[in-house]
Amino acid sequence: MTLTPHRSGTLLLAAVSALIPLVASSAPAAALADPHPVRHHRHIRADPQPRWYHRHTTEEITRFLRTFYGSHGPSQQDRVQRVSQLLRDKQAHAPETDVLLCHPGTPQSVTVGQATAMPAAFVGWATVTTTWASGATDTFTAYVRTDSRPIMLDDVICAG
């Protein structure tokens, strides 16, 4: 009994080779050329990341956190739509407190400081200070992933 060599790879290669000239000739070369080759090359050298790639800046993080916390804490909609799964899980395991404010209840006022970012760690944070009806103040740190889309609160670490 003699075995014949398996040649399907050879046939596939021959079929693809035959199609390449047909595909190449179906589109004019001018349509495939970059209309702005100089600008395109400058863009690649200046920004090695794809155009869609963007990390949130400290200004964006500060603006987000100030909007998120507002004057009296986050809205119910923000609590649902603008927090990470990590925070949702934390809240589920600590129903006696508000993990977004580190204290149960509604603060009289909220102040968010200027954000800081560590781009290599993909994280930004800001200090948040709440003032309560008793006159007490609490301070905690709110964290945002710089690569989150859309931007959202990733974690909160309470001071005490």
Side-chain angles (χ1 to χ4, degrees):
M1 177 177 189
T2 58
L3 296 175
T4 58
H6 184 58
R7 294 192 289 184
S8 62
T10 306
L11 291 175
L12 180 60
L13 182 59
V16 170
S17 297
L19 288 176
I20 289 174
L22 293 174
V23 172
S25 66
S26 65
L32 297 174
D34 185 353
H36 305 289
V38 173
R39 181 175 63 188
H40 179 71
H41 290 289
R42 270 193 238 136
H43 175 72
I44 289 175
R45 280 188 224 121
D47 183 10
Q49 301 295 337
R51 285 186 205 178
W52 56 264
Y53 185 84
H54 171 77
R55 291 186 190 172
H56 303 299
T57 64
T58 55
E59 291 79 19
E60 291 169 326
I61 294 167
T62 301
R63 188 172 40 253
F64 165 75
L65 290 172
R66 288 180 178 163
T67 301
F68 179 85
Y69 279 105
S71 298
H72 302 288
S75 69
Q76 190 58 39
Q77 181 179 357
D78 284 345
R79 289 172 178 276
V80 172
Q81 296 178 354
R82 300 177 84 186
V83 300
S84 68
Q85 187 62 48
L86 171 75
L87 281 170
R88 290 186 201 120
D89 293 345
K90 270 183 156 178
Q91 187 62 65
H93 290 98
E96 69 283 351
T97 190
D98 184 342
V99 298
L100 303 181
L101 293 168
C102 297
H103 191 282
T106 302
Q108 283 190 322
S109 67
V110 178
T111 304
V112 177
Q114 180 63 39
T116 302
M118 184 178 291
F122 292 90
V123 68
W125 63 91
T127 300
V128 180
T129 304
T130 53
T131 304
W132 301 90
S134 66
T137 60
D138 278 333
T139 302
F140 57 90
T141 305
Y143 294 88
V144 173
R145 285 192 51 87
T146 60
D147 61 344
S148 62
R149 293 288 173 264
I151 190 169
M152 66 177 51
L153 185 63
D154 190 56
D155 200 3
V156 173
I157 305 297
C158 302

